[in-house]
């Protein structure tokens, strides 16, 4: 059983009556409605979603655009899967479905999104990996498609956003390291034009400057957001003319590779160099235990979904109190990897 026509023929009822019964219209006899619903269930009726979308003017689908590829995500990267769970938990309340829009690392994100928009595929969009200047936001605004960004951009069209509090990480981490005697601190940033890199580095510079310290250009390491990127950072760090005594990692997947690179050089985090990172599925198994920032991914997904729905007329009333723009906090869990600087070390 594939469609409404076959269901109508099986019941010997008009297609119009079957359609009204399936959609809960009040002008259908209750006994007839019961027959239709029972037959649909037992015979495996599948609604023609494209036809229903044309009639309703909506698809019932929300797209979550993200970039993929081995050079972008790590082998154990579960960040988005955990966020998706929270997003879909909200959408399920309204019989909406989340679909991941996977843009290859080899394709321009704007070209990919233009194709998605041209097809009228989704009622709303969640965008991740926002760039410093991001024309995707202007495209969606022009087409009047409801959307929210996971991250900020200098391209601001008034859209709602939720961004991880990278300023907060920078502020608290630099203060913590300076208090422990570190004066030469290194930081990491994404390899591309992702806006979080600018936000993070700028705040680190500001906090260091308040202590009369500077962030040397050679101590800003760009890397791919995966384990290999962390390993490369370790190699570059070890090659510095003036080796930093501490490093702050912006991406959750870097710590595993960094630990491996340091270990090969006979260096131990927390003893030979202080390391502060972000939690990942792997970071809990690192030794010494990583001092790291964590967040509740599912709660983040719930907030993304509810904030987006607050901009959509059919759902806005249920989420009227949801703030449109939020810096999402992360919590530091102290470990053993961020020891004292050289002046404060004990023999």
């Amino acid at each position: 059983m594939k469609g409404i026509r076959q269901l109508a023929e099986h019941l010997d009822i008009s297609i119009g009556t079957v359609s009204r019964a399936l959609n809960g219209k009040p002008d259908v006899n209750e006994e007839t409605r019961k027959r239709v619903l029972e037959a649909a269930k037992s015979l495996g009726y599948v609604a023609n979603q494209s036809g229903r979308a044309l009639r309703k003017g909506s698809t019932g689908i929300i797209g979550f655009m993200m970039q993929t590829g081995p050079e972008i995500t790590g082998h154990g990267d579960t960040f988005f899967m955990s966020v998706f769970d929270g997003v879909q938990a909200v959408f399920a309340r309204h019989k909406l479905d989340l679909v991941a829009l996977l843009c290859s690392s080899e394709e321009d994100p704007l070209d990919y999104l233009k194709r998605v928009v041209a097809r009228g595929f989704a009622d709303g969009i969640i965008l991740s990996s926002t760039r410093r200047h991001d024309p995707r936001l202007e495209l969606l605004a022009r087409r009047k498609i409801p959307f929210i960004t996971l991250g900020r951009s200098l391209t601001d069209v008034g859209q709602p956003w939720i961004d991880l509090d990278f300023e907060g990480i920078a502020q608290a981490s630099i203060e913590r390291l300076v208090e422990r005697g570190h004066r030469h601190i290194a930081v990491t940033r994404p390899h591309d034009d992702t806006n979080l890199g600018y936000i993070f580095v700028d705040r680190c510079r500001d906090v260091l400057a308040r202590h009369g310290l500077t962030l040397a250009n050679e101590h800003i390491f760009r890397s791919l957001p995966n384990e290999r990127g962390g390993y490369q950072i370790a190699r570059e760090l070890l090659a510095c003319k003036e080796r930093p005594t501490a490093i702050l990692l912006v991406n959750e997947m870097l710590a595993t590779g960094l630990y491996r690179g340091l270990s090969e050089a006979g260096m131990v985090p927390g003893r030979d160099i202080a390391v502060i990172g972000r939690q990942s599925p792997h970071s809990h198994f690192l030794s010494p235990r990583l001092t790291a920032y964590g967040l509740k991914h599912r709660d983040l997904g719930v907030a993304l979904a509810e904030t987006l729905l607050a901009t959509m007329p059919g759902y806005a009333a249920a989420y009227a109190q949801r703030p449109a723009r939020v810096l999402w906090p992360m919590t530091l869990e102290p470990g053993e990897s961020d020891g004292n600087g050289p002046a404060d070390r004990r023999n």
Side-chain angles (χ1 to χ4, degrees):
M1 179 67 66
K2 292 185 177 180
I4 194 170
R5 182 179 298 277
Q6 291 87 346
L7 182 58
E9 290 175 353
H10 172 78
L11 292 167
D12 195 21
I13 299 176
S14 71
I15 293 176
T17 299
V18 171
S19 176
R20 293 195 298 277
L22 290 170
N23 287 287
K25 301 298 182 181
D27 60 342
V28 179
N29 178 279
E30 193 59 38
E31 184 178 341
T32 300
R33 187 193 318 281
K34 184 177 180 181
R35 281 185 61 208
V36 171
L37 295 177
E38 288 179 350
K41 181 178 181 180
S42 63
L43 297 174
Y45 163 74
V46 179
N48 184 324
Q49 294 299 329
S50 59
R52 295 182 71 177
L54 286 172
R55 291 192 298 274
K56 295 172 61 180
S58 64
T59 66
I61 291 173
I62 304 296
F64 193 123
M65 181 176 170
M66 56 182 291
Q67 286 194 272
T68 63
E71 296 303 306
I72 293 180
T73 57
H75 296 295
D77 191 352
T78 61
F79 177 90
F80 283 109
M81 294 305 296
S82 301
V83 172
F84 288 167
D85 183 57
V87 172
Q88 184 56 44
V90 174
F91 289 163
R93 302 171 194 163
H94 307 283
K95 300 191 183 308
L96 297 171
D97 291 309
L98 174 68
V99 173
L101 303 173
L102 306 179
C103 177
S104 167
S105 56
E106 299 177 0
E107 182 172 8
D108 178 76
L110 179 60
D111 290 341
Y112 176 86
L113 186 60
K114 284 180 177 178
R115 194 164 66 248
V116 170
V117 169
R119 290 172 176 166
F121 178 76
D123 298 334
I125 300 286
I126 301 173
L127 293 179
S128 64
S129 302
T130 48
R131 302 296 178 91
R132 186 69 162 173
H133 300 279
D134 200 326
R136 297 179 301 168
L137 280 63
E138 295 171 324
L139 169 65
L140 293 176
R142 285 197 306 270
R143 296 299 295 268
K144 301 188 184 323
I145 297 173
F147 75 100
I148 183 173
T149 58
L150 178 54
R152 284 165 285 171
S153 171
L154 292 183
T155 306
D156 189 339
V157 295
Q159 85 289 349
W161 53 254
I162 297 178
D163 199 4
L164 303 186
D165 187 9
F166 291 105
E167 290 105 326
I169 288 181
Q171 174 87 33
S173 298
I174 296 295
E175 293 286 0
R176 181 181 177 92
L177 292 170
V178 170
E179 183 179 351
R180 294 183 172 212
H182 295 280
R183 298 295 178 264
H184 301 287
I185 300 171
V187 303
T188 67
R189 65 177 301 167
H191 69 294
D192 56 17
D193 195 45
T194 304
N195 192 51
L196 72 88
Y198 295 92
I199 290 173
F200 187 67
V201 170
D202 287 349
R203 181 55 63 90
C204 286
R205 285 191 191 278
D206 290 344
V207 179
L208 284 167
R210 291 203 292 270
H211 291 279
L213 303 173
T214 59
L215 177 59
N217 288 331
E218 70 164 344
H219 291 167
I220 302 173
F221 299 103
R222 287 181 176 266
S223 74
L224 293 166
N226 56 28
E227 299 87 345
R228 186 180 297 276
Y231 184 82
Q232 183 59 38
I233 288 171
R235 302 293 295 272
E236 294 175 5
L237 185 152
L238 294 169
C240 286
K241 291 181 180 179
E242 185 171 25
R243 187 179 296 175
T245 63
I247 186 167
L248 180 52
L249 308 177
V250 73
N251 179 270
E252 63 269 18
M253 301 308 297
L254 297 177
T256 304
L258 179 77
Y259 267 53
R260 172 66 181 271
L262 294 176
S263 176
E264 289 180 357
M267 296 183 65
V268 178
R271 185 192 71 187
D272 303 304
I273 183 170
V275 180
I276 299 178
R278 287 179 54 200
Q279 290 179 357
S280 74
H282 293 166
S283 65
H284 298 285
F285 301 99
L286 294 174
S287 181
R289 183 162 50 89
L290 180 68
T291 294
Y293 289 86
L295 71 152
K296 295 180 179 179
H297 299 80
R298 192 178 189 277
D299 290 351
L300 173 61
V302 168
L304 281 168
E306 291 185 348
T307 305
L308 174 61
L309 293 180
T311 70
M312 301 172 68
Y315 313 98
Y319 304 104
Q321 303 305 312
R322 171 62 70 176
R325 294 182 164 185
V326 175
L327 273 179
W328 195 263
M330 288 181 273
T331 304
L332 180 67
E333 293 193 11
E336 305 160 333
S337 65
D338 60 332
N340 292 331
D344 291 339
R345 285 187 182 145
R346 306 289 185 264
N347 292 329

